[in-house]
Amino acid sequence: MSTPYAKLPGWVEYGLIPVINLAVAFLVAGLVVLLVGENPLEAAYHLINGAFGRGEYIGFTLYYATTFIFTGLAVAVAFHCGLFNIGGEGQAYVGGIGVALACLWLDKTMPWYVVFPLAIVGSAFFGALWAFLPGWLQAKRGSHIVITTIMFNFIASSLMVYLLTRVLKPLGSMAPQTRTFAEGGQLPKLDWLLSIFGLNVGTAPFNISFLLALAAAFGVWVLIWRTKLGYEMRTMGHSPSAARYAGIRESRITVITMMISGGLAGMMALNPIMGEQFRMQLDFVQGAGFVGIAVALMGRSHPGGIIPAAVLFGVLYQGGAEIAFEMPSISRDMIVIIQGLVILFAGALENMFRPAITRAFAMRGQRAAAVAQTKGA
């Protein structure tokens, strides 16, 4: 049986180790850039400049980050209960149905601030409903949550194809999408927020759902660390046998956790549908559900870590597009490789440097204890 790692200070656990992993990931990515005959420093410059060089670039970076905050929180909530919800992609798809129905129903008669709360409820409800079945199958039938959520991703994708080609598509249209929403179904931009810093958001679709994502992060923190339900979820994640001994109903916590996780993933649909496209298109999720896994891993399943991790992946998406434009020999596929390296070192290899760091802090503690003992003598 493996020995658990010693507990490290919070600034090491949530700060130093992720930074070291990230630095190594970018060093390896620099070697990849070098292998294709390009200058890694120039690529790094275009990455940072493309993400933060202008107000419009910052707007795009934060737009992507908004999406990843929602999906990262969805994965993190499930992680705390010992569940691996890999179905964020499908839950976001189905959550988009709730957003689209609210907009199609009220966009011509109500202002956005009336439609938006209904769209929030619709997206969360449909996402939670799609996560309910895998949660129930895990709790009542022992079906592995990873297998069922992957299957439900494919079902959700097929459901979207059917709805957008047979049900929600306007008459006479060939494109698999809904009609364009009227003004009531369009979220306002957060241009006033960037204008405080003298920046112009330009054409970036940075919208008010960013504030909702921050509120959701705070809500998840309260849920996990300040409520009875959150305590039960964390207990279940740490030791299911201890949770059962304490009288916590495993099936109830599993289903509720998956529904909360699915609701958060479903809310991701608000950002692209109401904030950018102003319609529901076939592939509006664009892999955000899977990126959320990396965001949750890198953020250590804590909202305070998920937000900067989501911004980092926003930088990789927006800055990566700038690299591909300014350095044609670095294709979009190379950008995906760089993103994969970040996921590799932040997720799969997150414990690579932990033993050495743990030993260093243990030796430091032993030296401090020896010094204190010498002074006491």
Side-chain angles (χ1 to χ4, degrees):
M1 185 175 180
S2 61
T3 304
Y5 295 110
K7 185 174 178 61
L8 293 168
W11 69 271
V12 176
E13 180 70 34
Y14 299 105
L16 181 62
I17 293 179
V19 167
I20 292 175
N21 289 334
L22 184 62
V24 173
F26 279 113
L27 284 173
V28 176
L31 294 176
V32 173
V33 173
L34 203 59
L35 286 174
V36 297
E38 291 288 352
N39 186 344
L41 295 179
E42 184 183 354
Y45 167 78
H46 288 305
L47 179 71
I48 300 302
N49 182 67
F52 299 112
R54 293 167 51 185
E56 186 174 10
Y57 299 163
I58 295 174
F60 274 105
T61 298
L62 294 179
Y63 164 76
Y64 293 125
T66 302
T67 296
F68 301 147
I69 289 173
F70 281 120
T71 54
L73 291 172
V75 175
V77 167
F79 274 168
H80 281 291
C81 193
L83 301 170
F84 191 9
N85 179 16
I86 203 170
E89 196 87 356
Q91 291 146 20
Y93 267 130
V94 177
I97 298 174
V99 177
L101 291 178
C103 292
L104 292 171
W105 177 34
L106 296 171
D107 64 331
K108 295 181 178 179
T109 58
M110 295 291 177
W112 72 267
Y113 51 81
V114 174
V115 179
F116 187 42
L118 295 175
I120 293 172
V121 173
S123 62
F125 173 77
F126 276 81
L129 188 65
W130 199 250
F132 166 78
L133 285 174
W136 184 85
L137 289 170
Q138 164 90 5
K140 299 296 186 180
R141 294 291 182 265
S143 302
H144 201 289
I145 201 75
V146 172
I147 303 301
T148 53
T149 50
I150 289 176
M151 292 169 60
F152 271 65
N153 283 342
F154 285 98
I155 297 172
S157 178
S158 300
L159 176 64
M160 288 298 296
V161 171
Y162 172 78
L163 290 175
L164 289 176
T165 57
R166 301 292 183 88
V167 181
L168 298 176
K169 185 182 70 170
L171 290 176
S173 173
M174 295 298 291
Q177 61 188 31
T178 66
R179 65 168 173 82
T180 301
F181 304 144
E183 191 173 337
Q186 302 179 15
L187 294 180
K189 291 184 178 182
L190 285 180
D191 46 0
W192 58 267
L193 182 60
L194 292 185
S195 66
I196 295 174
F197 305 97
L199 300 170
N200 182 10
V201 73
T203 61
F206 179 45
N207 61 80
I208 202 170
S209 63
F210 175 72
L211 301 180
L212 178 65
L214 297 182
F218 177 74
V220 167
W221 176 80
V222 172
L223 168 69
I224 298 298
W225 282 279
R226 291 295 184 271
T227 66
K228 177 176 177 287
L229 175 61
Y231 175 78
E232 292 176 339
M233 289 164 59
R234 287 185 288 123
T235 303
M236 183 67 66
H238 283 296
S239 176
S241 58
R244 287 190 292 269
Y245 183 78
I248 297 173
R249 291 175 54 196
E250 184 176 0
S251 58
R252 168 180 166 270
I253 296 299
T254 298
V255 172
I256 291 176
T257 300
M258 282 300 297
M259 291 184 70
I260 295 172
S261 177
L264 288 165
M267 289 167 66
M268 165 264 155
L270 294 161
N271 190 35
I273 292 179
M274 292 188 72
E276 182 196 16
Q277 301 166 359
F278 309 131
R279 64 178 69 87
M280 185 169 70
Q281 297 176 332
L282 191 58
D283 191 26
F284 70 87
V285 180
Q286 296 182 337
F290 297 115
V291 174
I293 299 172
V295 169
L297 287 171
M298 190 166 188
R300 297 298 189 270
S301 298
H302 192 290
I306 286 171
I307 293 173
V311 172
L312 169 66
F313 276 88
V315 169
L316 292 175
Y317 267 62
Q318 173 59 22
E322 182 73 7
I323 292 176
F325 179 78
E326 296 290 344
M327 306 174 72
S329 59
I330 301 179
S331 65
R332 192 66 189 176
D333 293 332
M334 294 286 295
I335 305 302
V336 175
I337 291 174
I338 295 173
Q339 294 170 359
L341 288 170
V342 173
I343 295 172
L344 177 67
F345 284 95
L349 300 178
E350 68 162 329
N351 292 324
M352 176 182 290
F353 304 103
R354 186 184 295 271
I357 294 173
T358 302
R359 286 195 298 270
F361 272 84
M363 292 173 61
R364 178 185 175 189
Q366 291 171 0
R367 285 198 299 267
V371 170
Q373 188 176 7
T374 302
K375 289 182 178 179

